[in-house]
Amino acid sequence: MYDKIKFFIPRASSTEEIARHLERVCNIIDTTTGECTLASGTIGGVKVMMYPNGVAIIGSLPKYYNKSNVFTLDRAKTDEALGMLSDALHVDLGAAYVTGLEFGTQFPMMKPTGIYLRRFGDVPRLKRERVGDGSIYYKSIGKRQGKTLCFYDKTVEAQAKGIQTPGLLSGMPLLRYEMRFNGHLASQFKVNEVLGRTLTNETFYRNMVKLWQRQYFAIPKTKEIRCSVMDNIKTANDAVNIFFARLINQTGQDEIGDFVNELKQNGTFQDAKYYTRVKKRLQEIAATISEDCASDDIRELDDAIRNAGAYI
């Protein structure tokens, strides 16, 4: 389930050895001295950049291993890919520091990704960004983007890059869910350090899968209206709540955020806490439908996420 990985190797004797095996080399020339210094290069699509304090290696392991990142790598294949790239660069990436990684996979879905994602709500301490109809990103709040949860259609992305989806999955919506972590990985994962060899450690990998699942199920989703819910209406207030819950279900929780933003732009309230109260109240109305009435669409995705962790 790994995709793009960022490695860093502190400046050492291996730097020159790495440089000898690069393709598409880019050099920097000092206009005063005429000295030519290697700045960057690639190897099998993986980018390698030279800095005074070390070497950064950034690239998609599945793309290097399979020539495509339409499908990510499990723990065993990650180990093989690391070995192949280490041999190609003549350096042990198992001992390199990991400074960023992407972890996730995709699922063939019955409907376009937008049908599922429109039910996704807000997550505390993460900024929700909707891109078009088929993508949602939950980003860390603040200057340092340490964590991002990404949901998008991998088929659409692959087609935009001229990559063919293999076999029977060709043209089918592939809903990709991945976590992206950047910087300070040891503190984010609560371990002493994250090296290349850490990625294939069984305990670390299992914990990554569990974290990936927990992050998904922590996202609130709007529910589907069923007749059994209608039968529970006892008061006029119940009926009003169900009516508004139905509207939110049909349009998605984006409408709540858009409405609150419209209030802010209009300067409706002098006290900012009232915007929060309005948003919270509308979200409470949307949640009046019981958990056992989750939509078939969300149930399909829930089951896919659960099953992805069944075989590690």
Side-chain angles (χ1 to χ4, degrees):
M1 295 170 73
Y2 290 109
D3 191 358
K4 185 178 180 180
I5 307 291
K6 298 179 181 179
F7 299 97
F8 184 77
I9 302 173
R11 193 77 181 180
S13 58
S14 60
T15 302
E16 288 70 25
E17 180 66 24
I18 293 174
R20 283 196 285 267
H21 303 283
L22 298 181
E23 310 153 353
R24 301 176 61 183
V25 172
C26 177
N27 294 314
I28 294 177
I29 299 177
D30 189 317
T31 56
T32 301
T33 64
E35 181 182 3
C36 181
T37 305
L38 175 67
S40 65
T42 63
I43 184 164
V46 175
K47 190 170 185 178
V48 180
M49 292 166 287
M50 303 294 181
Y51 298 104
N53 62 333
V55 182
I57 301 168
I58 304 174
S60 167
L61 286 182
K63 191 172 183 179
Y64 178 79
Y65 184 81
N66 292 322
K67 310 305 178 186
S68 169
N69 71 338
V70 172
F71 296 101
T72 52
L73 300 182
D74 59 16
R75 190 168 67 92
K77 295 299 184 182
T78 298
D79 191 45
E80 293 180 20
L82 285 174
M84 289 173 56
L85 186 55
S86 294
D87 291 343
L89 290 171
H90 289 71
V91 66
D92 180 15
L93 287 178
Y97 293 99
V98 178
T99 61
L101 64 83
E102 295 178 358
F103 188 90
T105 190
Q106 57 279 313
F107 309 98
M109 307 302 291
M110 300 298 295
K111 302 176 183 178
T113 59
I115 299 295
Y116 307 89
L117 300 184
R118 73 181 184 183
R119 298 183 180 276
F120 283 36
D122 293 332
V123 178
R125 296 182 294 279
L126 291 177
K127 181 181 179 182
R128 180 177 180 272
E129 292 185 3
R130 185 77 179 258
V131 181
D133 184 57
S135 301
I136 286 183
Y137 297 88
Y138 293 92
K139 299 181 179 181
S140 300
I141 298 175
K143 294 182 178 180
R144 184 168 63 88
Q145 296 294 319
K147 178 180 71 175
T148 303
L149 307 180
C150 311
F151 298 86
Y152 58 95
D153 192 326
K154 189 64 179 179
T155 297
V156 172
E157 183 193 67
Q159 290 174 346
K161 295 180 179 179
I163 302 172
Q164 294 296 319
T165 306
L168 296 176
L169 298 179
S170 180
M172 178 178 289
L174 289 177
L175 197 161
R176 174 72 162 251
Y177 162 44
E178 67 186 19
M179 304 183 298
R180 297 176 183 173
F181 295 94
N182 187 44
H184 303 283
L185 298 192
S187 61
Q188 291 199 65
F189 299 143
K190 296 179 174 57
V191 296
N192 293 330
E193 59 183 4
V194 181
L195 305 177
R197 67 173 66 95
T198 307
L199 302 179
T200 57
N201 175 275
E202 183 175 357
T203 299
F204 182 84
Y205 188 84
R206 286 181 179 274
N207 288 338
M208 287 296 295
V209 172
K210 292 177 181 178
L211 175 62
W212 176 79
Q213 291 175 319
R214 285 199 306 270
Q215 294 287 345
Y216 167 80
F217 286 109
I219 299 172
K221 289 94 175 174
T222 55
K223 308 301 186 296
E224 183 178 28
I225 304 291
R226 294 188 185 276
C227 292
S228 59
V229 177
M230 300 295 289
D231 294 340
N232 292 331
I233 295 176
K234 304 300 181 183
T235 67
N237 190 58
D238 291 340
V240 170
N241 286 341
I242 292 297
F243 175 75
F244 281 112
R246 174 179 290 173
L247 294 180
I248 295 171
N249 174 71
Q250 292 173 348
T251 60
Q253 293 213 12
D254 285 326
E255 290 295 324
I256 296 177
D258 291 344
F259 178 66
V260 173
N261 287 335
E262 187 176 348
L263 293 177
K264 291 179 179 179
Q265 293 172 3
N266 191 52
T268 305
F269 303 120
Q270 293 183 350
D271 192 335
K273 67 183 179 184
Y274 290 112
Y275 299 112
T276 302
R277 290 180 180 178
V278 169
K279 186 174 185 179
K280 182 179 179 181
R281 178 58 184 142
L282 290 174
Q283 290 174 334
E284 288 173 348
I285 292 174
T288 55
I289 306 168
S290 61
E291 290 294 330
D292 59 352
C293 291
S295 74
D296 291 338
D297 297 332
I298 290 300
R299 188 178 296 108
E300 178 190 358
L301 185 54
D302 286 352
D303 290 343
I305 297 291
R306 291 190 186 96
N307 293 336
Y311 306 97
I312 302 177

